Amino acid sequence: MTGRGGGGVRAEQRAQTRRALLRESRRLFASRGYGAVGLAGIVRASGVTKGALYHHFDGKADLFRAVLEEVQQEVGRRVAEAAERHADPWEQLIAGCREFLAASTDPELQRIMLVDGPAVLGWSEWRAMDEAASARHLTEALTELVAAGVVAPQPVAPLAHLLSGAMNEAALWLAADAGPDDLADTWAALARMLDSLRTAPGVTAPGVTAPGATAARPRPSGA
C-alpha cells in the first residue's frame, strides 16, 4: 500500500511539474517570443530545476511544441463550441470559421500559433499539428453539408484543404499586419467565399435528394 501511495504522490508531483513548465513557458513565449526566452528563465519562473525540465522535454523546441499543441487544441475546442451553439449545419460551419478568425487575433495565441509556430517547427510539422487539432472539424462539417445537398456534390478532402489554407493564410496576415478594420473585412471576404459554395436556398444540389424528400421515380414510357 505504501509503495503504491508513494508512486501516486510522485506521479502527481511529475504532473504538477509538467503543468508548471507548460504554464510558465506559454506565458513567456506569448509575451516575449520564442527567440527571446531561454531555458534558465523558464525553469526559474516555473520553480523547478533544469534537470526536471529535461525529464519531461528534450529541450526548448520540444517544450514549445507541447505549448503549441496545447494552444491549437484550445482553438479547436473554441471552434467546436462555437459551432455546437447552432443546430443548423450551415450555421455551424459559419460560426466555427468565424471563431477561428476571432481566435487568431488573440495576441497570446497569435505569437505562439501563427508567428513562432511555423518558424520554430517548420511549415510541414506546423501544418500537420494544425490538421490534427482543428482540420478534422472542418472536414466533418463539409461532409455533412455535401451529404445534405447544402454544398454541391464534390470531393471533400480538397475542399477542406483549400478552405483551411485560406483561413490559415488570413490568420497569418492578421497576425502580421492587421489594422483596426481588417478582421471585419477578412470575415466579410471569407463569408462571401463560403456562400459561393452553397446551393441556392431551398434548392438541393443536382444528384442529391433533399432531406425528407423522396427521389422521383422514372415515369413509364408513354405515360
Side-chain angles (χ1 to χ4, degrees):
M1 294 290 289
T2 304
R4 288 197 294 273
V9 170
R10 288 192 294 272
E12 178 56 28
Q13 289 173 338
R14 288 193 294 269
Q16 288 179 352
T17 297
R18 181 181 175 86
R19 287 195 295 269
L21 286 166
L22 287 171
R23 181 183 65 250
E24 294 304 319
S25 59
R26 174 172 174 168
R27 180 180 63 82
L28 292 169
F29 288 145
S31 61
R32 302 181 188 176
Y34 179 85
V37 176
L39 288 180
I42 292 173
V43 297
R44 183 168 56 250
S46 304
V48 303
T49 65
K50 191 171 287 189
L53 184 150
Y54 281 113
H55 177 77
H56 292 277
F57 304 100
D58 292 338
K60 189 170 79 164
D62 191 38
L63 177 55
F64 178 81
R65 183 181 295 104
V67 170
L68 174 60
E69 182 178 20
E70 182 180 84
V71 168
Q72 288 180 323
Q73 289 175 349
E74 180 181 309
V75 172
R77 286 193 297 271
R78 285 178 56 172
V79 167
E81 289 169 2
E84 288 165 2
R85 296 188 191 108
H86 301 269
D88 179 73
W90 179 258
E91 294 301 324
Q92 289 177 347
L93 174 68
I94 296 297
C97 291
R98 188 162 197 165
E99 181 61 31
F100 176 82
L101 283 186
S104 72
T105 64
D106 182 324
E108 176 186 324
L109 303 183
Q110 273 186 348
R111 186 186 286 270
I112 293 172
M113 187 173 74
L114 301 171
V115 178
D116 285 340
V120 174
L121 301 181
W123 178 261
S124 295
E125 183 173 0
W126 178 84
R127 187 72 184 89
M129 292 176 67
D130 175 69
E131 285 195 23
S134 59
R136 173 175 56 85
H137 299 296
L138 179 59
T139 300
E140 291 173 352
L142 290 170
T143 298
E144 183 176 359
L145 290 169
V146 169
V150 178
V151 170
Q154 59 191 290
V156 170
L159 178 59
H161 279 82
L162 285 168
L163 284 178
S164 179
M167 286 190 288
N168 278 328
E169 184 61 30
L172 288 166
W173 176 70
L174 288 169
D177 191 29
D181 299 323
D182 285 340
L183 176 59
D185 291 343
T186 301
W187 168 246
L190 178 60
R192 287 191 293 271
M193 182 186 300
L194 291 170
D195 196 55
S196 70
L197 299 173
R198 193 177 187 183
T199 56
V203 177
T204 303
V208 177
T209 302
T214 303
R217 296 180 181 178
R219 297 180 64 184
S221 176

